[in-house]
Amino acid sequence: MRKIYIKGKATLKGEVQISGSKNAALPILAATILLKGECTFTNVPHLLDIITIIRMLRALGIKAEYIGKGRVKVSVNNVKHMAPYELVTKMRASFFVIGPILVRNGLAKIPLPGGCAIGSRPVNLHLKGLEALGAKVKMEHGFVIVQADKLRGGKVYLDFPSVGATETVMMAATLASGTTVIENAAKEPEIIDLANFLIAAGAKIKGAGTEIIEIEGVGTLHAVDYPIIPDRIEAGTFMVAAAATSGDVFLKGVAVEHLEAVIQKLKEAGSEVQVEPSGIRVKGRKPIKPLDIKTLPFPGFPTDMQAQFAALLACAEGTSVISETVFENRFMYVHELNRMGANIRLEGQSAILHGVPELSGAPVMATDLRAGAALAIAALMAEGETEIIDTENHIARGYENLIEKFKGLGVSLKDQINGSDAEKLGPF
Ligand code: UD1
């Protein structure tokens, strides 16, 4: 069992290098299934989820390896059509392989991803999109089976601008015959990164980053080396940690244009945010002012940042409201924050946060990745030591070298797996 012990009343000071984006790297690595040859990716974070997608590629017969210093090498020749159950249940994003496998083999057999801690997270929009391109879809013995000798371009309207479904359709459409138009597409920076990778590999895609994406099918894609964009959620998490601890942190390697909503909300909360040519500086200021936050698809406020803001606002001078509109069940961290002395009440899909003067360290449980990040921020603010119990390794799934990065900013903490120093045991 993993436990992270964090000493409270910290003030984060110094510089931190932001890693590459996990959520951009995952679909891009899956998209290599569409091509033949060898690609080297740079700025890939060394995270459990990345190792899981690498294992998935290997299980499909592809050579894939994390070769150090943020680089992943993938060499694709033939691809199997069936994805192993253990990997899809371990990480929902493994489902991304469905479109590329279908295109390569005319058939893909993928286990249905089960329920997930942050809501039911269905895959109906992914499948609706593939059907619109001519695939036949059926469910059998817990597997989704999709079949099509050759996909043909078509019009796909997404009922919700789902990030994953936009990516699935975009990948499948690159090698379809004719033109595909995705309406109400997701506009997240990770969509643009996937499109840029596919374009570099020979795809014809217009409009990524807007709500209408047009993909003109091409005959083949070729191998290409590609750098992954910076992780906007990791950056946002460090920005909130700086704000919450009255710190002064300079973040290097960030894409400012991906962080507008977070920057605006931090300024509203009273923090100083300076955009400089080589990064962003955040200086936390007391009192923390209360906020109203509503999560929305990009460019709205990201759902992946609401838990971290809740930790900050737990100690605001006044009452804040956070409304979650993207996922159900994303407030599981609230009970844990309340165990640390926060005063947060849930009303349907909103959390009402009455600011308290101080939190106190306590043993708490990380229920998902961003909940773990929120608890780490609360722990930095709290009086005394907090023990974050992270049985499922959630934090290691999403934050590269979090412990080292926090230490570099002056935090005193310990990371243990079954009582032994996690650093000595290696990252995974
Ligand atoms: C991605 C991110 C995740 C982020 C989320 C929203 C990755 C690996 N994960 O997840 O960190 O929180 O975007 O920004 O990139 N939905 C359906 N049917 C579908 C697909 C989705 O109803 O077929 C619903 C979901 O249940 C959810 C909403 O659409 O309520 C948004 O989900 P989606 O944008 O697809 O998120 P993910 O791609 O799973």
Side-chain angles (χ1 to χ4, degrees):
M1 181 186 298
R2 195 166 199 148
K3 286 185 182 179
I4 302 175
Y5 299 85
I6 301 183
K7 208 159 144 211
K9 292 278 176 207
T11 304
L12 269 58
K13 275 195 188 320
E15 284 190 358
V16 62
Q17 176 71 40
I18 297 306
S19 299
S21 162
K22 164 179 88 74
N23 286 353
L26 290 172
I28 288 176
L29 288 170
T32 58
I33 295 170
L34 292 164
L35 49 83
K36 270 194 181 178
E38 190 175 283
C39 305
T40 302
F41 297 95
T42 47
N43 205 29
V44 184
H46 195 210
L47 296 171
L48 206 49
D49 278 5
I50 297 293
I51 300 302
T52 304
I53 197 85
I54 287 176
R55 286 186 185 138
M56 169 64 83
L57 293 177
R58 284 190 195 150
L60 294 170
I62 294 167
K63 280 193 198 148
E65 201 184 345
Y66 182 85
I67 53 172
K69 294 193 175 146
R71 287 172 308 150
V72 171
K73 195 178 255 191
V74 181
S75 183
V76 194
N77 190 9
N78 293 323
V79 179
K80 295 179 189 159
H81 71 270
M82 193 158 129
Y85 174 69
E86 329 66 88
L87 294 175
V88 179
T89 50
K90 220 179 207 169
M91 181 183 68
R92 199 191 128 83
S94 319
F95 195 75
F96 284 140
V97 296
I98 193 166
I101 296 180
L102 170 66
V103 173
R104 271 303 286 265
N105 292 331
L107 169 70
K109 199 171 166 192
I110 316 290
L112 258 177
C116 157
I118 61 167
S120 59
R121 301 185 85 166
V123 289
N124 57 318
L125 296 174
H126 298 242
L127 300 179
K128 190 182 152 192
L130 294 177
E131 267 176 333
L133 302 187
K136 291 211 161 46
V137 178
K138 61 179 178 184
M139 310 284 170
E140 234 173 61
H141 306 294
F143 281 79
V144 184
I145 301 169
V146 284
Q147 248 174 314
D149 289 339
K150 173 86 182 158
L151 292 176
R152 45 165 172 70
K155 196 175 196 171
V156 178
Y157 175 81
L158 296 177
D159 301 318
F160 183 88
S162 150
V163 175
T166 303
E167 290 166 341
T168 288
V169 177
M170 200 159 74
M171 289 191 270
T174 50
L175 295 177
S177 60
T179 301
T180 298
V181 177
I182 310 176
E183 290 182 352
N184 201 25
K187 296 184 269 194
E188 269 69 2
E190 294 76 20
I191 302 283
I192 303 179
D193 210 30
L194 174 61
N196 285 342
F197 165 66
L198 292 168
I199 292 167
K204 289 193 176 156
I205 302 173
K206 281 194 278 186
T210 75
E211 60 205 40
I212 298 184
I213 304 180
E214 201 179 297
I215 306 127
E216 197 187 319
V218 295
T220 51
L221 295 182
H222 54 80
V224 65
D225 296 342
Y226 192 77
I228 304 294
I229 55 168
D231 196 312
R232 64 193 167 103
I233 306 301
E234 188 202 11
T237 302
F238 277 101
M239 289 165 75
V240 175
T245 59
S246 300
D248 179 351
V249 174
F250 185 71
L251 292 92
K252 294 185 291 184
V254 288
V256 177
E257 64 278 18
H258 300 162
L259 285 160
E260 279 309 325
V262 168
I263 292 174
Q264 287 315 320
K265 284 294 167 191
L266 278 180
K267 284 184 175 169
E268 266 182 56
S271 299
E272 228 181 275
V273 183
Q274 296 158 1
V275 175
E276 298 177 17
S278 56
I280 299 183
R281 180 175 299 283
V282 180
K283 291 184 188 167
R285 295 275 180 257
K286 290 269 155 63
I288 297 162
K289 294 185 197 150
L291 299 176
D292 281 349
I293 289 179
K294 189 176 186 179
T295 66
L296 285 169
F298 192 85
F301 186 92
T303 172
D304 284 351
M305 280 304 303
Q306 60 100 332
Q308 299 88 316
F309 267 80
L312 169 77
L313 297 172
C315 292
E317 213 175 65
T319 299
S320 305
V321 179
I322 298 181
S323 304
E324 172 61 53
T325 76
V326 178
F327 285 112
E328 53 195 284
N329 211 8
R330 257 219 151 161
F331 284 122
M332 281 179 303
Y333 63 84
V334 161
H335 306 295
E336 302 302 302
L337 285 183
N338 283 346
R339 298 187 60 247
M340 296 177 72
N343 180 359
I344 310 175
R345 186 166 41 90
L346 288 176
E347 263 184 28
Q349 283 303 310
S350 294
I352 321 293
L353 302 96
H354 298 289
V356 296
E358 190 164 83
L359 298 175
S360 62
V364 285
M365 184 78 78
T367 46
D368 65 61
L369 164 54
R370 306 305 166 187
L375 293 173
I377 292 170
L380 295 171
M381 302 163 82
E383 159 71 22
E385 191 177 65
T386 296
E387 176 186 327
I388 304 177
I389 302 163
D390 189 0
T391 350
E392 307 273 339
N393 266 324
H394 288 302
I395 298 177
R397 276 186 42 217
Y399 290 91
E400 186 181 47
N401 297 333
L402 182 76
I403 303 299
E404 292 71 22
K405 288 184 183 183
F406 268 163
K407 280 185 182 165
L409 295 171
V411 178
S412 167
L413 76 175
K414 275 187 305 192
D415 181 15
Q416 296 192 334
I417 299 177
N418 298 328
S420 301
D421 195 355
E423 212 175 329
K424 289 196 191 111
L425 299 173
F428 312 111

